[in-house]
Amino acid sequence: MSTHTEIAQIFHGTFIHPVSLDNLEIIENGLMGVDAHGRIAFVERGVIGDLKIREVLSKWKVVVNGEEKVRFLTMGQFLLPGFIDTHTHAAQYPNAGTGRDLPLLEWLKKYTFPLESSFSLLSYAQKIYPIVVDQLLLSGTTTAVYFATIHLESSKYLAQVAYERGQRAFVGKVSMDCNAPNCLIEVVEESIKETESFVQYVLGLDPNENNDYDGEYERRGTRLVTPVLTPRFAVSCTSKMLEALGKLAKKYDDIPIQSHLSENQEEVAFVKELFPHIENYTKVYDDHELLNDRSIMAHGIYLSESERALIKERNAGISHCPNSNFTILSGVCNVRQLLDDGIKVGLGTDISGGSAKSILNAVRNAGVASRVISMSSSNNDNEMRQQPLSLPELLYLATMGGARLLNLENVIGNFQVGKEFDALLVDTVTPVDPAPFKVFEGIDDSDVLRMFEKFMFLGDERNLRAVYVKGRMVSGVEFIRNNKSSTSNSDDDAIIMKKINEYKNSGRCPVCNDSKN
């Protein structure tokens, strides 16, 4: 214990966090100190009464006089680790909640590619991306893994917005050179040059960051915004593109890689047509040096046993996106099987295949998906019924599971001393009116686990009083009340949306006038 640590914030009350996949710890009457660098300095349990609190504070040489440093959580309030969204498309946010009538490949052509082409205009990105980051933070997403688009300046702007807003973010400029409208097809050499330019830009967003830690964490551990190499998926990348990105991944060997994998049966079959000489979809990435411990692969619904074994061997992981899987009729991912195989799994919203911005929605849909799998397995007399995901497991996937997938398990994900304070201050009793759910006196109010469960399955952003990243309040009801922000005024979004609607009616891309058929 260091007695020279400067304690910046202190919380007293209930803290709920995952210790492991099936071990949920509820700390009541806890006292947590966060230092000036945003790290958890201490967590004391069973601290009851003013004398005991002062005794602990004295041990940490925290002087409480004049301005009170301790924040006392009231009945119905508790701290949770911040939610981690391991897969979402920032550029697709305007389409969220629409376009639910088509499966993946047709959906991309009709809805997604036209919208993404609009980000060739930086002014359009400037209208959309601040809203996206603000909305995800408001929903409790302290860490987000973003796909941007192929457009360098717009992608850089997304990274800049995340940094300025204080969100921990992994941002990827998309790479693709086939099977898309002409305006979204890149020349490999130019794409790689721009991707490297993007990587350098993001790494240089704050040249002074990480210097306060004296080497205690690896460089990526304390970085707020991290670049990600982002081949869209094997359908839209030639072998030449994948090979070039694989070389870039070797050059920048501490930067993550993200893509899509085995989301849709038609997609899997198309990949086999495009790469007939390669054994399976997963091997396509592996053969191009893009499958390793830094790889974040979205979906993974139709993985064979050999593919799962390869993912485990490479220590790659899967972002489970159940809302999207249901919405565009992709399938149901067997997460229990992935976990049993020792594969890293986190949760993703996958906007706009997924229709909801909140990881709470991903938690709920992951629970439903696991029940579908469980019911299906119970109909087979030769198999034992597979257990659905439990509440502790669902919270783990939303927090520590995501942290492991991003190789940040020593930095965020729970309230272990030494980790950075990415957290949500949840209020189940006195949120914004009208409340998303009711806490019943004499039934719920004395049962912390019951109130936690109600929040996980009924709550929303109205229950989030404060959202913290690296110890700094960056969103939540209190933050919004105290920091009224204005959005930029621009008519560009109206112009672009008009073009997109024209495209839907005419069948031609609004930027390159390329036919979608």
Side-chain angles (χ1 to χ4, degrees):
M1 179 190 76
S2 171
T3 57
H4 300 290
T5 303
E6 180 185 350
I7 305 300
Q9 299 178 81
I10 301 165
F11 298 88
H12 181 273
T14 300
F15 316 139
I16 303 173
H17 71 145
V19 177
S20 62
L21 178 62
D22 56 1
N23 184 2
L24 178 72
E25 183 180 22
I26 298 177
I27 302 171
E28 297 188 72
N29 297 304
L31 194 68
M32 183 188 302
V34 180
D35 71 19
H37 299 303
R39 293 174 293 188
I40 300 171
F42 63 83
V43 178
E44 301 278 354
R45 294 158 174 79
V47 183
I48 302 174
D50 185 65
L51 288 177
K52 182 63 175 176
I53 291 173
R54 291 186 178 278
E55 177 184 323
V56 174
L57 296 183
S58 176
K59 181 172 68 173
W60 285 91
K61 295 192 174 181
V62 178
V63 178
V64 180
N65 52 24
E67 183 179 347
E68 185 64 77
K69 277 194 174 183
V70 181
R71 174 153 189 172
F72 291 92
L73 307 189
T74 60
M75 190 271 293
Q77 295 182 347
F78 49 83
L79 288 177
L80 286 180
F83 293 144
I84 301 173
D85 187 343
T86 58
H87 180 71
T88 197
H89 294 262
Q92 295 177 28
Y93 190 80
N95 275 357
T98 67
R100 300 161 62 93
D101 57 327
L102 294 172
L104 175 65
L105 298 183
E106 297 172 64
W107 173 85
L108 286 169
K109 293 177 183 178
K110 183 174 181 180
Y111 300 114
T112 302
F113 290 155
L115 178 60
E116 290 194 8
S117 67
S118 306
F119 287 80
S120 62
L121 293 179
L122 177 60
S123 59
Y124 193 65
Q126 291 169 337
K127 183 70 176 181
I128 301 301
Y129 284 153
I131 295 172
V132 177
V133 175
D134 286 346
Q135 287 296 305
L136 265 64
L137 280 171
L138 190 62
S139 300
T141 300
T142 53
T143 300
V145 183
Y146 290 114
F147 271 61
T149 62
I150 67 166
H151 310 101
L152 175 59
E153 295 306 318
S154 291
S155 299
K156 287 161 63 175
Y157 181 71
L158 174 58
Q160 176 189 332
V161 170
Y163 182 81
E164 290 174 351
R165 296 297 204 268
Q167 184 179 51
R168 193 184 300 271
F170 292 72
V171 183
K173 177 210 161 294
V174 174
S175 298
M176 51 195 292
D177 67 334
C178 64
N179 295 313
N182 288 338
C183 58
L184 292 178
I185 291 180
E186 301 176 290
V187 175
V188 172
E189 292 77 11
E190 293 177 4
S191 176
I192 295 303
K193 182 179 179 180
E194 290 196 344
T195 296
E196 188 159 18
S197 175
F198 174 77
V199 167
Q200 292 293 339
Y201 171 80
V202 177
L203 292 177
L205 269 176
D206 184 359
N208 297 316
E209 77 185 340
N210 310 307
N211 291 345
D212 292 334
Y213 293 87
D214 299 322
E216 182 176 347
Y217 295 134
E218 61 177 311
R219 179 174 176 81
R220 198 173 71 225
T222 57
R223 177 171 292 282
L224 190 63
V225 181
T226 299
V228 189
L229 299 180
T230 307
R232 186 181 200 105
F233 62 159
V235 167
S236 62
C237 292
T238 62
S239 184
K240 182 179 179 181
M241 175 69 85
L242 294 175
E243 182 179 355
L245 288 168
K247 291 178 179 177
L248 209 57
K250 281 188 173 182
K251 180 176 180 180
Y252 296 94
D253 60 4
D254 62 343
I255 289 178
I257 303 159
Q258 64 176 343
S259 194
H260 299 83
L261 173 65
S262 197
E263 177 179 0
N264 169 284
Q265 288 178 315
E266 183 183 1
E267 167 212 14
V268 174
F270 195 10
V271 170
K272 188 61 180 175
E273 291 179 20
L274 294 170
F275 300 90
H277 57 292
I278 299 181
E279 182 181 345
N280 55 52
Y281 198 162
T282 305
K283 279 283 288 178
V284 171
Y285 294 116
D286 190 55
D287 284 3
H288 292 90
E289 306 292 338
L290 292 168
L291 192 73
N292 55 44
D293 64 337
R294 298 172 280 130
S295 300
I296 306 157
M297 294 293 168
H299 303 291
I301 300 173
Y302 300 102
L303 298 172
S304 65
E305 183 176 353
S306 63
E307 286 180 286
R308 297 197 306 274
L310 179 59
I311 291 170
K312 165 64 176 174
E313 181 182 345
R314 297 290 186 263
N315 198 25
I318 299 295
S319 175
H320 177 41
C321 307
N323 184 309
S324 172
N325 295 342
F326 286 134
T327 298
I328 56 176
L329 305 175
S330 295
V332 185
C333 182
N334 191 335
V335 172
R336 174 69 67 199
Q337 185 174 61
L338 296 176
L339 294 172
D340 288 348
D341 286 344
I343 293 172
K344 299 182 293 188
V345 181
L347 295 181
T349 57
D350 193 23
I351 293 171
S352 66
S355 56
K357 64 186 178 181
S358 173
I359 285 296
L360 283 173
N361 181 277
V363 163
R364 294 159 193 171
N365 276 283
V368 172
S370 74
R371 281 160 171 74
V372 171
I373 295 290
S374 178
M375 289 186 291
S376 300
S377 68
S378 66
N379 292 331
N380 189 333
D381 293 335
N382 297 323
E383 295 182 14
M384 293 181 61
R385 178 173 179 175
Q386 187 179 101
Q387 290 300 308
L389 296 172
S390 66
L391 177 59
E393 289 173 323
L394 289 168
L395 179 66
Y396 179 91
L397 293 177
T399 54
M400 273 299 294
R404 285 193 66 224
L405 184 53
L406 303 180
N407 295 314
L408 293 180
E409 65 269 28
N410 294 323
V411 179
I412 56 174
N414 62 15
F415 295 137
Q416 181 180 324
V417 171
K419 290 190 177 184
E420 295 179 358
F421 187 68
D422 287 13
L424 312 177
L425 201 170
V426 178
D427 192 342
T428 62
V429 177
T430 56
V432 174
D433 190 55
F437 64 91
K438 176 68 176 176
V439 172
F440 291 95
E441 186 176 353
I443 300 175
D444 299 321
D445 56 358
S446 61
D447 189 333
V448 173
L449 181 59
R450 187 178 173 94
M451 287 189 285
F452 164 62
E453 187 172 13
K454 281 201 166 186
F455 167 71
M456 292 295 286
F457 293 104
L458 297 174
D460 60 30
E461 61 203 43
R462 289 170 290 178
N463 295 108
L464 299 180
R465 280 202 169 274
V467 176
Y468 299 90
V469 176
K470 295 180 73 169
R472 173 189 167 202
M473 187 189 295
V474 294
S475 191
V477 173
E478 293 180 5
F479 181 87
I480 298 301
R481 284 174 178 169
N482 297 330
N483 299 271
K484 297 292 185 181
S485 61
S486 60
T487 57
S488 60
N489 294 317
S490 172
D491 293 328
D492 288 332
D493 59 322
I495 295 171
I496 294 298
M497 290 311 294
K498 180 181 178 181
K499 289 183 178 180
I500 291 170
N501 289 329
E502 289 173 354
Y503 165 79
K504 291 177 182 177
N505 295 327
S506 69
R508 309 198 73 82
C509 175
V511 175
C512 66
N513 203 34
D514 186 38
S515 173
K516 67 183 180 183
N517 296 316

